[in-house]
Amino acid sequence: MITLVDVVVVIVYLAIMVVIGLIASKRIKHKDDYVLAGKRMGYSVTIGTLVATMIGTAATMGTAAMGYEYGMILVWQAIAIFVGYIIVGMLAKKIRKTGKWYIPDIMAERYGESAKVFTTIILAIAVTAIFGAQIIAMGLIFNLVGNSLGISYTTAIVIVGVILVLYTFIGGMIAVAYTDFIQLIIILVLFVLVLPIYVFTDGITFSDLRQTVDPEMWSVWSGLPFLFVVGIIATYLPGIIIDQTIWQRVMASKDEKVAKFSSFISGGIFLFYSIVILLLGITASVIIPQLTNKDEAIPQLIISYLPNGLIGLGLVAILAVAMSTASSTLLIAGVVITKDVIPAVMKKSLSYEQDLKASRIVTLILGAAGIVIALTFSGLFGLMMLAYAIFTATLFFPIIFALFWEKATKKGAFWSIIISSIILIVLYGLDKPLDVEPILPAIIINLGLMWIISLLTYQKDTATKPVFRDERKEKEVERNIQAKMK
């Protein structure tokens, strides 16, 4: 049962987040401070913000709900994200060496300004949807807390949305980085240590759980259609590799070593966390068997098994995972619009002061849009899958080819983005015909068109160079040419 003590814990936590935003705002001197935390993040803060960003409501409430219904097969989502983090870590040196953490800039370098505009629009739509999904979860939790005070679900969404927008608006990446670190500690202690101890002490023993649960629930090979699992992998593995928030944190790290190993460690932490959450979801299916809304599995375990005070802290932990992901995505959406759209509309570059002010205003506007999405849609896991599919299916191969392939062309990128976007929208509009995840045909066509059209339109004399090019090899080729000329 939620008591006044638990309500106070939640309110105090939210107040602390706003205070951190105010303190962080005093450290902002220019745009790099607001967007990249001054490029001075060490291991603890970098790992904290990398992990906390991905441990959103989809990785907590959504994953537990899927574990409740389908079992351990959802571990493939965590494995896909883990592999994505490893690949990002391996690319960290190249990412930092280019100085380009901003995905639309990479598209512009290879394919021109039109590709940059398309990328900006797609990213803004996707991350605003992700922000809205987090607000939905926060509204559900805050509604549970506020029931005794007469706070409705709609009012709860507006309250938490305003608080979230406020501290991101004020403090930028410095506030996001340090609140992420605090939230990660709360998340790991509560969900990986405290909650399992109480559940397996007062609820059910692990040996009884193994005997009670259907053996298929423990299998990673059965429980969900094969194409659905492939769709999850195709959504999240490429999605992590080109995730703007992940690249932002790679650049915000103080050096290459921190960026690389923080990515490796973060992937491992996320994989372990996801396994624990799936286990709690399976456990909830046994001790709370008649749960109507599966997304409530974790909140109901918290309310049923944690003592007063810790219930409030447990609900705070869920708020924390939502806030960490939401704040990161909101910040990115604000940056991409400010960097690309506003100067194009105004037809002039912005000063540092104007850029910072515009970033904050756009963050405020998009935050309001996210609140509207949260009030309009429902279903956490599906909305998160859709959000990731939007930019993965349309942008992954144009971005990867821009980074590595010398024959990538503007026309290849343009048509692959346009056609795959149309296919994705149509298949979602038709409600996934033949039970095939829309991302699968969309991303395959994205690859095919990017490759074929680029080959057909490639001209060596006008071609642009890969962003991740081997500069030493280029210099060696140049020296050989000069030697032959002599």
Side-chain angles (χ1 to χ4, degrees), residues 365-386:
I365 294 171
L366 292 178
I371 294 173
V372 172
I373 290 174
L375 292 171
T376 306
F377 295 90
S378 61
L380 294 173
F381 194 85
L383 185 55
M384 285 295 293
M385 281 281 288
L386 172 61

Side-chain angles (χ1 to χ4, degrees), residues 69-118:
E69 194 162 3
Y70 302 108
M72 289 299 293
I73 191 168
L74 247 289
V75 76
W76 286 107
Q77 180 200 36
I79 292 172
I81 292 173
F82 168 72
V83 174
Y85 268 118
I86 297 300
I87 293 173
V88 169
M90 295 171 66
L91 295 176
K93 182 177 180 179
K94 289 182 177 292
I95 293 172
R96 290 177 61 87
K97 191 173 182 180
T98 64
K100 292 180 174 62
W101 63 272
Y102 186 61
I103 297 295
D105 278 349
I106 291 172
M107 297 291 280
E109 181 176 326
R110 286 304 306 271
Y111 310 128
E113 290 300 316
S114 60
K116 183 176 184 178
V117 171
F118 279 116

Side-chain angles (χ1 to χ4, degrees), residues 93-94 97 465 468-480:
K93 182 177 180 179
K94 289 182 177 292
K97 191 173 182 180
K465 295 181 180 180
F468 286 175
R469 53 185 176 270
D470 190 336
E471 294 182 359
R472 288 182 299 181
K473 185 176 180 180
E474 287 182 355
K475 290 179 180 179
E476 184 178 344
V477 171
E478 186 177 344
R479 285 195 298 267
N480 291 337

Side-chain angles (χ1 to χ4, degrees), residues 244-264:
Q244 184 74 75
T245 59
I246 304 298
W247 281 51
Q248 183 186 29
R249 281 147 178 75
V250 168
M251 288 300 296
S253 303
K254 68 179 182 180
D255 57 44
E256 293 173 1
K257 185 177 179 182
V258 170
K260 178 180 179 179
F261 288 102
S262 292
S263 295
F264 293 166

Side-chain angles (χ1 to χ4, degrees), residues 52-70:
T53 295
M54 285 311 302
I55 299 181
T57 50
T60 304
M61 293 170 64
T63 297
M66 296 296 279
Y68 185 105
E69 194 162 3
Y70 302 108

Side-chain angles (χ1 to χ4, degrees), residues 259-314:
K260 178 180 179 179
F261 288 102
S262 292
S263 295
F264 293 166
I265 295 169
S266 297
I269 292 173
F270 180 84
L271 178 59
F272 176 71
Y273 176 83
S274 297
I275 292 171
V276 174
I277 293 299
L278 282 171
L279 177 61
L280 288 173
I282 294 172
T283 304
S285 71
V286 174
I287 59 181
I288 316 175
Q290 303 302 321
L291 197 57
T292 303
N293 185 351
K294 309 299 188 295
D295 284 333
E296 293 182 3
I298 291 292
Q300 290 299 336
L301 286 176
I302 290 171
I303 294 170
S304 300
Y305 290 98
L306 292 185
N308 292 335
L310 281 183
I311 291 177
L313 195 57

